[in-house]
Amino acid sequence: MSNYSDILYLTVAMVVFSILTINTARSFQFTADTLVRADLEYRATAIAQDEIDQIRWETDENKLDPEHDDYLFDSYPQNQAITYGNENEYSETFKVNGKSTLIENTSSMKRYKVTITTTSNSIDPKVEVSLEFIKSYMQE
Amino acid sequence: MNVGIVTSFIVAGLMILSIMAFNHSIYTSSAETTITTINQNNLDNLTEIISNDMNRIGYKTGSSDNFNHIYSQDVEFQGDIYDNDSHAVTTVRWYLDTSDSVSTTTNSNDVYLKRTGPTSDGSISTLKYPVTHFELKYFAGDGTETTNTINVKSIQVEVVMESGEYHTTRSDGKKQYHRTVWKRTFVPNNLNF
């Protein structure tokens, strides 16, 4: 009878050990996933900042007016393939989307809120970064 | 031969092997996590300084030509880099010194990216950052690449950084280093007025 109890003890010990190892492995997997996501977010933010840096110097107000034919974001979303490395050996594709909203329209000023959203589908769930920028134009 | 003892030894052996494999896996994951975090922090520190410097190119110089030279791995420019130091306009140089390999790490790919200019303590000195790749591109107002210092309106900076120490060794003996990259295009205010 003691043989059976030994087997029972061993089985319980193995089950407990398995649960612990699975939980530990899951915890490390989660940490690795977080680190990869942080890396992707870092690069996605840089791309969104690039877009906003370009828009800061946009002198043509029509480009930010959603009602106008020259609206800049009509051609968005765009896929941007970013290459890195000595010989551009690494590549990553981000989807860049943008929109502009007129938030103030007075006799002296027009203000637009520009939102740039960068998405990476390299990981599930996808990584998404949104940056907002307010651009003002003086009315003559 | 006692069958029970032999069975016990086999089971115990399998348990010990699985515990050792698990221990190795935990050790590797832990090392990878630590190395990745250190590498990301290093890149974050570096990009913060690059961003500060690039955005201040031409600040308070009163000049239309703020670059001393522009090359793909070497740039020298002028600007008031810090507001609260004793220096007014100073010269800052960022360059990849490919002749100066990092000797304190096991990674054979890293070399020093050097910054000569004012530092937060008020002195002018050279700071060194281990990177594996650093590249600059200069663009004119129409978006085309330029080599003329007068025409530069935006600068693209690319940095690739690998960890100094490896986290795993592949079956073919190659050491695996954590790699992280960063690429940004700066449009400094003072180059665009």
Side-chain angles (χ1 to χ4, degrees):
Chain A
M1 197 61 196
S2 75
N3 284 343
Y4 284 115
S5 65
D6 283 351
I7 289 171
L8 200 64
Y9 283 140
L10 183 64
T11 308
V12 170
M14 285 175 80
V15 167
V16 169
F17 180 69
S18 302
I19 291 170
L20 286 174
T21 52
I22 287 169
N23 279 339
T24 311
R26 197 177 285 165
S27 163
F28 271 94
Q29 178 64 37
F30 182 75
T31 309
D33 188 69
T34 306
L35 288 170
V36 171
R37 298 181 77 81
D39 235 10
L40 278 171
E41 275 173 24
Y42 202 70
R43 292 198 282 279
T45 307
I47 291 165
Q49 283 174 328
D50 285 358
E51 289 285 324
I52 285 183
D53 256 11
Q54 301 290 334
I55 291 162
R56 279 171 61 213
W57 296 99
E58 186 56 69
T59 51
D60 185 0
E61 184 204 319
N62 295 335
K63 293 266 178 77
L64 298 185
D65 182 358
E67 308 293 322
H68 202 275
D69 288 345
D70 293 342
Y71 183 48
L72 182 70
F73 299 119
D74 270 343
S75 58
Y76 283 59
Q78 294 176 344
N79 283 327
Q80 281 193 21
I82 313 292
T83 53
Y84 311 95
N86 279 316
E87 293 167 359
N88 294 330
E89 61 268 45
Y90 315 114
S91 167
E92 205 167 33
T93 302
F94 291 90
K95 189 170 93 178
V96 181
N97 202 357
K99 69 169 184 179
S100 160
T101 318
L102 182 65
I103 55 170
E104 188 178 336
N105 189 2
T106 65
S107 57
S108 61
M109 187 190 286
K110 265 189 173 182
R111 295 208 299 165
Y112 293 91
K113 185 171 85 175
V114 178
T115 308
I116 301 292
T117 307
T118 315
T119 312
S120 170
N121 292 313
S122 308
I123 195 167
D124 188 30
K126 64 189 177 185
V127 169
E128 198 167 88
V129 170
S130 276
L131 295 185
E132 288 182 346
F133 175 71
I134 292 176
K135 173 90 177 161
S136 305
Y137 290 95
M138 302 295 284
Q139 303 269 55
E140 289 175 12
Chain B
M1 192 160 49
N2 190 327
V3 178
I5 290 176
V6 172
T7 311
S8 297
F9 269 92
I10 290 171
V11 171
L14 285 173
M15 285 289 284
I16 288 169
L17 278 177
S18 74
I19 289 170
M20 283 170 68
F22 180 64
N23 187 45
H24 178 71
S25 167
I26 293 285
Y27 170 77
T28 307
S29 298
S30 181
E32 189 175 350
T33 303
T34 308
I35 284 170
T36 303
T37 308
I38 291 170
N39 204 31
Q40 284 177 340
N41 275 337
N42 287 344
L43 183 70
D44 194 37
N45 292 339
L46 174 60
T47 57
E48 199 171 317
I49 298 168
I50 291 176
S51 301
N52 175 74
D53 286 2
M54 292 293 164
N55 282 319
R56 282 178 170 251
I57 294 175
Y59 181 50
K60 288 186 179 174
T61 60
S63 167
S64 59
D65 188 2
N66 295 291
F67 292 94
N68 295 349
H69 59 249
I70 51 170
Y71 304 118
S72 65
Q73 293 183 329
D74 187 348
V75 63
E76 190 173 274
F77 54 83
Q78 288 162 26
D80 187 356
I81 301 302
Y82 295 115
D83 280 329
N84 298 320
D85 62 4
S86 57
H87 305 290
V89 173
T90 47
T91 299
V92 176
R93 183 182 178 204
W94 281 93
Y95 63 106
L96 189 71
D97 192 348
T98 49
S99 62
D100 193 1
S101 295
V102 183
S103 58
T104 51
T105 63
T106 57
N107 192 333
S108 56
N109 296 324
D110 49 8
V111 291
Y112 279 117
L113 169 64
K114 295 183 177 175
R115 175 196 184 272
T116 304
T119 55
S120 54
D121 64 0
S123 63
I124 303 267
S125 58
T126 298
L127 304 175
K128 303 197 293 185
Y129 304 91
V131 300
T132 50
H133 178 65
F134 175 70
E135 190 177 347
L136 297 158
K137 284 182 181 168
Y138 310 89
F139 298 98
D142 59 1
T144 55
E145 216 171 314
T146 183
T147 52
N148 188 338
T149 56
I150 297 275
N151 295 337
V152 176
K153 299 292 178 198
S154 59
I155 306 159
Q156 187 184 80
V157 184
E158 182 184 336
V159 179
V160 179
M161 193 180 260
E162 284 181 6
S163 59
E165 304 304 322
Y166 62 94
H167 51 77
T168 41
T169 309
R170 285 193 337 203
S171 53
D172 60 1
K174 267 193 155 183
K175 290 167 178 163
Q176 297 284 97
Y177 294 88
H178 177 261
R179 182 185 297 120
T180 183
V181 298
W182 179 77
K183 197 176 196 174
R184 258 215 73 184
T185 305
F186 293 95
V187 188
N189 289 350
N190 298 289
L191 300 183
N192 288 275
F193 282 126

